[in-house]
Amino acid sequence: LPPGPGREDVFYRCKACHSLMIVKQQGLDREAWDESLEWMVDEQGMTPIEDSAIRDRVLDYLSTHFGRK
C-alpha cells in the first residue's frame, strides 16, 4: 500500500477478510467507498468503524490511492 495517513487503518481492516489486491483494483470515488463499507457491515458482517475520524481517514486514503483516475 502507498504511504499516507490511513495506510495502517486500511491494511489491518481490509486484510482481515480479503486480499488487498481486491482493494487496489476497485477504483471507487469516496462516496462509493463509503457505500462499500456500509454494505460490508450490513451484508458481510464487517465490524463498523465507529470512530468518525478513523472512518474519514480510511475513506480519504482509499479514495486518494484507489479512487477513480
Side-chain angles (χ1 to χ4, degrees):
L1 296 175
R7 178 183 185 199
E8 288 187 22
D9 297 308
V10 168
F11 177 82
Y12 290 111
R13 290 178 190 283
C14 298
K15 182 118 175 103
C17 295
H18 51 75
S19 164
L20 293 173
M21 291 305 294
I22 198 160
V23 173
K24 291 179 177 184
Q25 64 187 330
Q26 294 306 304
L28 305 175
D29 62 22
R30 193 176 196 286
E31 182 179 343
W33 277 115
D34 193 35
E35 291 170 3
S36 182
L37 290 178
E38 286 298 319
W39 176 82
M40 287 187 282
V41 169
D42 294 343
E43 301 294 328
Q44 303 298 313
M46 181 180 126
T47 302
I49 303 173
E50 300 288 343
D51 185 313
S52 62
I54 294 173
R55 186 179 178 91
D56 283 341
R57 192 166 56 232
V58 165
L59 290 170
D60 289 345
Y61 183 87
L62 291 170
S63 60
T64 297
H65 297 287
F66 308 115
R68 293 189 183 133
K69 303 288 181 199

